[in-house]
Amino acid sequence: MNQDSGVTLDKITSLAKRRGFVYPTSDIYGGLTSSYDYGPLGAELMRNIRNLWWRDLVTCREDMVGLDSQILLHPETWVASGHVTAFNDPLVEDKVTHKRYRADHLIESWLEKNPQAEKVVVEGMNLEDLAAFIEKNRVKTPDGNEVFPPKAFNIMFQTAVGVVEGDKMPVYLRGETAQGIFTHFANILNSTRVQLPFGVGQIGKSFRNEITTGQFVFRTLEFEQAEIEYFFDPEKTDWQELFKEWQDAMWQFVHGTLGIREEKLRWRRHSDAERSFYSKETYDLEYEYPFGFKELWGIAYRTDYDLQQHIDHSGKDLRYKDPQNPSRTIVPHVIEPSVGVNRVLLMAMCDAYWEDKENNRTVMRFKPNLAPYKAAVFPLVKNKPEITGKAREVFHMLAKRMGTSWDDRGNIGKRYFYQDEIGTPFCITIDYQTLEDNTVTVRERDSMKQERVAIEALCERLLKEIEA
Ligand code: ATP
């Protein structure tokens, strides 16, 4: 495979718009900051990613079930999770990694490392004091980078339930899908036959009022998460082994199922300072986007923190009774692999992009299971009813089994060129010979090789290649 694919973020952004993968939201009004919509091809690609994730990590596992919880949850959920209490925290953002830190925490750890410095009381410092201190002392993040000035900051979008002014209940658009899983822990236990260890997977929209903008769909205000909470009894399951198993499952999904090149992937372990206080271990699976290695998928061992918080805030019993020893109850611990579907889409597009200079074409070399359309059906000519009729038969036969596109415009060369750019692995042409022997021409995207295949064998033949 040609490693120099010629990919840049500008080229991906422009192809995405030109070919209908991703459009800026409200384009005719000049767009909305960090917001994008998915066009006809993007909608298919997103759906393929979701379906493959769900198939591999929920359906095909004995120890997983799914959930679909709401975007609007009881506001106490976010108090318990810690999202609301961080409301007015002064946050600073790393200028390079864009990670956010509590400004007071950064200063405190700077003071610990610089005992000779003049003592200050950090607690209660206002935004200006914090900004002045950071600037004067050149306080940096644990990664050694400078920070943007501190801001009182909360990433939660607030809205309200109710229509009468003065009587509205403030609620939040969820900042992550995970909390819906934790709040249903007891319901899932009571309504299904799961026993520890087991996991719950969910895909859905999340919203964050991000202060960093740019980088296309990598970081947006509204995005989609695919999250797993994997519950276990820490006395019966070795968390380190389990953590490793989940890391392997993530890698297998990205490299094995989605076909992403391994040399573009790496693990990054969070340092003690970077990790949330309740997390015992956090890793990011990073992909090398055109703007550098960046977090694609995070995995964290969150101990029993979340369930314990919901027990404390709701007063409900979310403990688990040991089936071998009913007098023993525990608060399960949890490992959380959490990925942004939109970041997977951006990775898939960047990884697939290839400028085939020899043949003067751009090809999106998606693994066939990811490609928005698996096949495109072309009648050789438009004005011969026998040919278009036969082509329609082939189209409907394939469309029932796989994403299929119909194209009868322009010459065949132009149609190939277009399908290459949107990543369709197989183009099927119905021509004069088809009328004689019921065979069609199948042209493969990457090799551009063509062969005749009998219509009756076509569907199984393509499915075999797509599912390989
Ligand atoms: P980052 O450090 O990039 O802001 P995060 O550590 O805050 O991400 P998590 O809270 O761990 O992210 O969310 C889990 C996953 O959700 C991330 O790995 C990422 O794939 C995705 N994600 C988070 N924020 C966004 C966003 N604003 N836009 C798109 N995807 C996001």
Side-chain angles (χ1 to χ4, degrees), residues 11-52:
K11 287 180 191 172
I12 293 293
T13 310
S14 121
L15 184 144
K17 184 166 184 196
R18 190 170 71 249
R19 293 302 184 210
F21 283 90
V22 183
Y23 308 127
T25 294
S26 306
D27 208 8
I28 59 169
Y29 293 105
L32 178 69
T33 183
S34 292
S35 302
Y36 294 91
D37 294 337
Y38 293 83
L41 296 177
E44 297 291 342
L45 182 50
M46 284 290 275
R47 207 151 51 87
N48 292 341
I49 295 167
R50 276 185 220 116
N51 288 347
L52 290 167

Side-chain angles (χ1 to χ4, degrees), residues 196-197 230-247 280-281 299 301 328 333-335:
L196 292 185
Y230 198 83
F231 299 99
F232 64 97
D233 179 342
E235 278 184 25
K236 298 190 174 170
T237 303
D238 178 324
W239 75 262
Q240 271 141 327
E241 267 174 37
L242 186 61
F243 198 92
K244 178 79 180 53
E245 278 170 28
W246 273 107
Q247 283 187 294
K280 276 206 180 157
E281 184 74 285
I299 172 166
Y301 170 28
R328 177 175 174 260
H333 282 217
V334 81
I335 284 176

Side-chain angles (χ1 to χ4, degrees), residues 87 156-160 170-173:
F87 210 88
M156 299 291 284
F157 276 97
Q158 204 172 10
T159 180
V171 290
Y172 302 96
L173 304 186

Side-chain angles (χ1 to χ4, degrees), residues 160-192:
V161 172
V163 288
V164 180
E165 278 312 324
D167 207 13
K168 288 186 177 174
M169 173 163 117
V171 290
Y172 302 96
L173 304 186
R174 67 181 172 199
E176 59 179 31
T177 62
Q179 296 306 321
I181 299 180
F182 291 122
T183 54
H184 280 305
F185 178 70
N187 278 338
I188 293 170
L189 271 188
N190 296 336
S191 58
T192 70

Side-chain angles (χ1 to χ4, degrees), residues 99 208 210 218-220 223 225 295-296 298 338 340 343:
K99 291 202 174 301
R208 294 185 189 177
E210 297 278 4
F218 181 80
R219 187 184 303 283
T220 48
F223 57 101
Q225 284 185 310
E295 172 177 348
L296 166 78
S338 168
R343 282 192 192 177

Side-chain angles (χ1 to χ4, degrees), residues 244-293:
K244 178 79 180 53
E245 278 170 28
W246 273 107
Q247 283 187 294
D248 291 346
M250 290 157 65
W251 191 278
Q252 166 58 24
F253 180 73
V254 175
H255 172 60
T257 300
L258 305 183
I260 303 301
R261 287 169 286 171
E262 279 195 294
E263 64 271 25
K264 293 278 186 182
L265 297 168
R266 71 172 190 200
W267 287 107
R268 191 179 71 79
R269 185 169 186 235
H270 282 213
S271 66
D272 292 348
E274 192 185 352
R275 235 176 22 238
S276 318
F277 69 92
Y278 48 77
S279 171
K280 276 206 180 157
E281 184 74 285
T282 304
Y283 272 83
D284 288 344
L285 176 55
E286 297 187 329
Y287 174 74
E288 190 177 15
Y289 291 94
F291 41 89
F293 271 102

Side-chain angles (χ1 to χ4, degrees), residues 192-217:
T192 70
R193 304 203 26 93
V194 291
Q195 285 194 334
L196 292 185
F198 73 90
V200 183
Q202 165 157 238
I203 301 181
K205 293 268 183 154
S206 291
F207 300 80
R208 294 185 189 177
N209 220 333
E210 297 278 4
I211 48 174
T212 319
T213 55
Q215 295 175 327
F216 198 36
V217 297

